[in-house]
Amino acid sequence: MAMKLWVTDPENKPQETSNRNADLEGVVSIGTQDEDGNPVSLDTFRFATGTPATADAIAELFGGTPVETSRTSDHFIDVITTRNKLLVIVDGPSGLYSDMKRWHNGKLAHHCDGMAFLSHAKETMVGKPCGCPELFVERKDAAREGIGPSPSIDLTFRPADDPDLGKFRLHTGSWGLAKVLHEAEEKLERIDGPALVEISLELVEFTIKKGPKKGTKVSYYLPKIRPIKAYADAVADDPTEEYDGEAPF
């Protein structure tokens, strides 16, 4: 399943320059919360698991210290790593799943693929046009105004450094990643099997040029997903070798 952001906006589609698993060992994100519950962005990946041995292994591989939190979820042990780049194994195209969601008061108020409803309070509406704007920029504006859905992207993977640790899921709602996600989807489809993939965080900095916040400097970390090659082709070499530059396609 994939978002369909560019079918109705083909002229602005950038050119190249999974369902949730029940057997996850943990989840990965690029954010956390402070003591007051406020969101805090990170410049490295955070792993969360419910298994102390897994948390220790993650810390040994990627740095950081396991910390038990007060969360009641299954994944209550955090490891904020020292890594902003990881090599992982993704089990084919189905390992990357994306859709569009809008939540209201804790309930899913809108769920689509960018063109049609994937779920709805009225079953007869599933598969019907969702009414989202056609242009990418209009979709983003609608989400910002609270009247449209935002991207929901899941990448399920195993760490290439230690595949036996089990499966983890990286979740993000990044519009920046959603804008170019089709590139990763197409590459995974071409590989059509277990793939060696690089996930990374890229610092983005810019200055607002218009509006009341003109002149304000903004910075954030953009998550990136870059399929490299079939994992079967990588095991003959070192599967954890760093790959610089563009993927070899």
Side-chain angles (χ1 to χ4, degrees), residues 9-22:
D9 190 11
E11 292 185 359
N12 291 314
K13 179 178 179 179
Q15 300 301 312
E16 283 192 62
T17 42
S18 83
N19 286 321
R20 294 173 176 260
N21 291 281

Side-chain angles (χ1 to χ4, degrees), residues 5 33 38 86 89 169 180 201 214 224 226 229:
L5 300 181
Q33 292 182 335
N38 299 312
L86 301 172
I89 305 165
R169 186 181 68 242
V180 296
L201 301 177
K214 180 179 179 180
K224 303 185 73 175
R226 185 169 68 94
K229 64 196 303 185

Side-chain angles (χ1 to χ4, degrees), residues 86-161:
L86 301 172
L87 285 178
V88 302
I89 305 165
V90 177
D91 292 331
S94 63
L96 179 56
Y97 179 88
S98 62
D99 56 18
M100 304 287 290
K101 294 185 175 76
R102 179 171 67 86
W103 297 87
H104 181 68
N105 293 332
K107 295 183 178 180
L108 186 58
H110 184 114
H111 183 204
C112 71
D113 63 6
M115 293 188 67
F117 286 113
L118 297 176
S119 68
H120 197 278
K122 297 180 179 179
E123 286 191 20
T124 56
M125 291 298 293
V126 175
K128 299 291 181 63
C130 59
C132 287
E134 293 186 352
L135 301 183
F136 185 88
V137 65
E138 293 176 347
R139 295 176 188 271
K140 193 172 181 180
D141 288 343
R144 186 182 296 113
E145 293 169 5
I147 57 175
S150 297
S152 179
I153 302 168
D154 290 336
L155 181 74
T156 302
F157 65 85
R158 291 171 289 141
D161 300 77

Side-chain angles (χ1 to χ4, degrees), residues 27-29 42 44-49 51-52 54-60 62-69 71 76-82:
V27 294
V28 181
S29 71
L42 299 171
T44 59
F45 289 104
R46 175 177 67 89
F47 281 73
T49 181
T51 308
T54 299
D56 290 339
I58 291 296
E60 183 175 348
F62 307 131
T65 302
V67 176
E68 289 195 16
T69 70
R71 291 196 303 269
F76 63 94
I77 306 174
D78 278 357
V79 181
I80 298 178
T81 73
T82 59

Side-chain angles (χ1 to χ4, degrees), residues 157-196:
F157 65 85
R158 291 171 289 141
D161 300 77
D162 188 354
D164 292 336
L165 275 180
K167 291 184 177 181
F168 296 81
R169 186 181 68 242
L170 170 67
H171 176 78
T172 177
S174 167
W175 280 98
L177 176 58
K179 189 175 184 179
V180 296
L181 192 65
H182 60 281
E183 297 177 12
E185 292 168 341
E186 290 165 1
K187 290 176 182 179
L188 286 173
E189 288 173 0
R190 289 201 294 269
I191 293 173
D192 195 25
L196 185 66

